[in-house]
Amino acid sequence: MIALLKGFLVLLVAIPYSVLALASIPIDRSGKTYHMCARHWSKFILWIFGIRVKVRGKEHVGRGRVIYASNHASWFDIPAAIAGIPDDIRIMLKRELTYVPIWGWALKYGPYIAVDRTNPKDALRSLDKAADQIRSGASVLLFVEGTRTKDGSLQPFKRGAFVLAMKSGVPIVPVTINHSFSILPKGSLKVRPTDIEIVIEPPIETSGFEGKDGEIALMKQVRAVIERNFQDVANREP
């Protein structure tokens, strides 16, 4: 009952933040006001569910436009990343989220990038939009597994972040999110509050990578960094 009440409050508070975010779009073309609204709402979500976010590696943020490449274990990764990464970021997210009334409209028309994962041509257009956001001065965050893990382990990486990195020529920053899987596993509706840890590593320059072989090499390097920091709940003793 309490969880349902908290969920209702999150949706209720989403309305004014979404309206404000929508209203900011024609006024602030940079998207900074929009992201500020998303950050405040994300902090409210984390607070109402009793989740704290601890960030290591903040000193690696603020070195210009970058692509953040992160693992993805829970729905709470999105508010945690928005609230925890101290940068003006644009999230790439699944298009299904834009179907939610009011909040989804803000996602659809705002600077965040919605991706139709079932349509390769649309996915390429989304990468073009992400490249435009980078050229306009923002950083972009992608969840490199493409979707949330089902068992808490690190899944195979998708190509999107690495195609975008080589296309835009900006550094890529490995980001590891730990402890979020146990809060809300995929397919579950029960929230179990715990602290989320975000580990931000130094940027990896992409200028030395070329072609498909370079893309694969870049992916392997980013994965090795994330694996080093990742705490795999699937392999823990019960």
Side-chain angles (χ1 to χ4, degrees), residues 14-191:
I15 295 175
Y17 277 122
S18 298
V19 170
L20 182 58
L22 280 167
S24 75
I25 294 170
I27 299 170
D28 180 8
R29 296 287 183 178
S30 71
K32 290 183 178 180
T33 302
Y34 181 99
H35 183 62
M36 180 187 69
C37 293
R39 176 167 287 174
H40 283 294
W41 185 55
S42 295
K43 288 181 178 180
F44 175 79
I45 293 173
L46 297 169
W47 173 78
I48 199 72
F49 284 106
I51 299 167
R52 294 183 298 177
V53 177
K54 300 178 181 179
V55 183
R56 291 197 285 123
K58 288 184 180 180
E59 66 273 15
H60 303 311
V61 176
R63 301 182 182 181
R65 299 164 297 164
V66 298
I67 295 167
Y68 294 98
S70 174
N71 63 300
H72 193 17
S74 168
W75 184 88
F76 281 95
D77 293 340
I78 297 176
I82 293 173
I85 298 176
D87 197 356
D88 183 31
I89 59 176
R90 307 290 177 261
I91 303 283
M92 289 194 74
L93 42 83
K94 60 183 181 180
R95 177 149 294 172
E96 293 91 321
L97 293 176
T98 66
Y99 303 151
V100 180
I102 304 178
W103 176 58
W105 303 340
L107 291 176
K108 181 177 181 179
Y109 297 107
Y112 289 0
I113 304 118
V115 182
D116 183 351
R117 296 174 298 177
T118 65
N119 187 330
K121 289 184 178 180
D122 183 81
L124 288 175
R125 285 194 294 269
S126 297
L127 289 177
D128 288 337
K129 182 178 178 182
D132 288 341
Q133 292 286 359
I134 291 170
R135 283 190 286 269
S136 70
S139 295
V140 173
L141 183 142
L142 296 89
F143 294 108
V144 287
E145 294 161 288
T147 187
R148 288 172 289 160
T149 175
K150 293 181 179 180
D151 60 5
S153 63
L154 201 61
Q155 305 299 297
F157 285 6
K158 303 296 184 182
R159 296 176 53 203
F162 310 99
V163 172
L164 178 60
M166 295 180 67
K167 185 174 185 176
S168 59
V170 300
I172 189 164
V173 175
V175 175
T176 309
I177 300 178
N178 288 319
H179 314 311
S180 64
F181 179 76
S182 60
I183 297 174
L184 188 66
K186 191 170 184 178
S188 173
L189 295 176
K190 185 177 180 180
V191 178

